[in-house]
Amino acid sequence: MKRIKIADVLSNPKVGDSILVKGWVRSFRANRFVALNDGSTIKNIQAVVDFENLDEALLKRITTGSAVGITGVLVESQGGGQAVEIEVSNIEIIGDANPEEIQKTVMQPKRHSMEFLREQAHLRFRTNTFGAVFRIRHAVSYAIHKYFNDAGYYYLHTPIITGSDAEGAGEMFRVSTLDPATPPLTEDGQVDYSQDFFGKAVNLTVSGQLEAELGALALGQVYTFGPTFRAENSNTSRHLAEFWMIEPEVAFNDLKDNMDLTEDFLKFIVNYILTNCADDLQFLNDRDVKEQQSKPQNERNELTLIERLEFVRDNDFKRLTYTEAIEVLQRSKPYKKKKFKYEVAWGVDLHSEHERYLVEKEFKCPVILSDYPAEIKAFYMRQNDDDKTVAAMDVLFPGIGEIVGGSQREERLGVLKKKCADFDIEEEELDWYLDTRRFGTVPHAGFGLGFERMVMFVTGMSNIRDVIPFPRTPQNAEF
């Protein structure tokens, strides 16, 4: 008999059919009721065992965590909590699970701390919370590819190993085949990377944007979706050393076009999750409600998880300049009462508390801020006519603050060369990038969405380490 996934059984139950399901035992009550889950849905299927017809040795092997195959007839449930259940005719033990060992793991049927779950990241997939998170992570990934494919974008694989620092932050992981104990040295005592594999110093990429621009200036519209790396020694709930980025680039787009694209794209993702992940989303919504109730009143989210998603999908994004946002913040009650922790002044980058105030209190909708001071943004962003600001934008969401950063790119060769000098970037290092401004340059724009940050938003998880299968953070590279 061919195995049927539990999600398919429950979505289209055919009472009276003989079926075979396989999965892992979540619970075994009264030597009669087996709750089975195979990962295809957050819901378990109940199998009713006539224990008198079971071999006692087999019965003892049906424990939490064991893998079994169950054959039986699908019938209407006699109890509450499920519409159908399986009357078992045969059970096959596929993989045993020692009950004593289970008690030491996250599969023990009780509530565990997030820290304990991270310590056993190889097993946390088995829990309801992380099963829901990673099914939704898949759905977000699919929605991203679907959006761009349907809109005629080309998926561009940009290099993971690079000789450039797109962000200019310098926090990059070095890639080398040289012997770390006795590397070759130059005459002045520096490591001689000319003898390395690539003949120069190279790193893991922090962004595929610069290479994506090259693709866009030939193919019209492209997007990247790949791993990126940042050697930032930060242990906050919002930072990872290895993470994934989505970066579209579009030729002939200006800043307004970029805002329009970003808003449409984000709404599409959110609507896809609301439409296609109802069971997992409801579970995480209920979890979020309980978590908020345990927080002090002033730290709670005003909206539930599902309400936050609907808030993004159903509202037009408010657009205003950075300068206008500073004026709004300086007129606000928290500013006048000195309740903001961080400074609010023109020329200073905004913090999460300021961004969330604008979204959740002032405008009560997602916000797109634009035209930031040039000094706090990257060299490649287009200089505005005022010579003080650049055509940059950030998208702000409830509960999380900034979720997307983007800009119109500087397409004018002379201006871009001057900005390289202002940022102490050697032209020779980016000659390939400057070439695109020498041969048929055009206005173009793009943005970057941190994939894990988006997954955090749609799942309600408060720590970025809980939305990636195996988090890479300072002093942590397990599994």
Side-chain angles (χ1 to χ4, degrees), residues 291-401:
E291 190 173 273
Q292 295 303 317
Q293 289 173 345
S294 66
K295 294 181 178 179
Q297 187 72 37
N298 63 335
E299 295 180 13
R300 296 179 186 175
N301 286 321
E302 294 184 6
L303 303 175
T304 66
L305 172 59
I306 291 175
E307 287 171 344
R308 294 197 294 275
L309 300 187
E310 292 170 340
F311 177 92
V312 167
R313 182 192 63 185
D314 299 338
N315 284 290
D316 292 335
F317 292 13
K318 174 70 177 178
R319 302 182 185 188
L320 70 160
T321 67
Y322 166 90
T323 300
E324 291 169 335
I326 291 295
E327 293 170 353
V328 169
L329 290 167
Q330 289 179 337
R331 293 196 302 266
S332 69
K333 287 183 179 179
Y335 177 80
K336 292 178 179 177
K337 294 182 178 180
K338 298 183 178 180
K339 290 190 174 181
F340 284 136
K341 181 179 178 181
Y342 296 99
E343 180 184 7
V344 178
W346 200 96
V348 175
D349 213 352
L350 299 182
H351 286 79
S352 180
E353 62 176 345
H354 308 134
E355 296 166 341
R356 291 188 60 181
Y357 173 83
L358 293 170
V359 172
E360 298 167 24
K361 302 297 184 182
E362 180 70 24
F363 297 111
K364 299 188 184 300
C365 65
V367 170
I368 305 180
L369 298 185
S370 65
D371 303 295
Y372 280 78
E375 289 77 11
I376 61 174
K377 291 296 181 180
F379 79 97
Y380 51 74
M381 297 186 177
R382 195 181 200 276
Q383 191 77 29
N384 287 331
D385 293 339
D386 60 11
D387 284 330
K388 296 192 304 180
T389 62
V390 290
M393 61 162 223
D394 286 342
V395 180
L396 315 180
F397 268 16
I400 197 168

Side-chain angles (χ1 to χ4, degrees), residues 22 71 124 133 178 191 193 224 230 276 284 318 343 345 382 397 402 429:
K22 296 180 180 181
T71 305
R124 65 178 180 171
V133 166
L178 297 178
V191 176
Y193 286 105
T224 76
R230 183 165 291 161
N276 294 281
L284 292 172
K318 174 70 177 178
E343 180 184 7
R382 195 181 200 276
F397 268 16
E402 180 193 343
E429 293 181 15

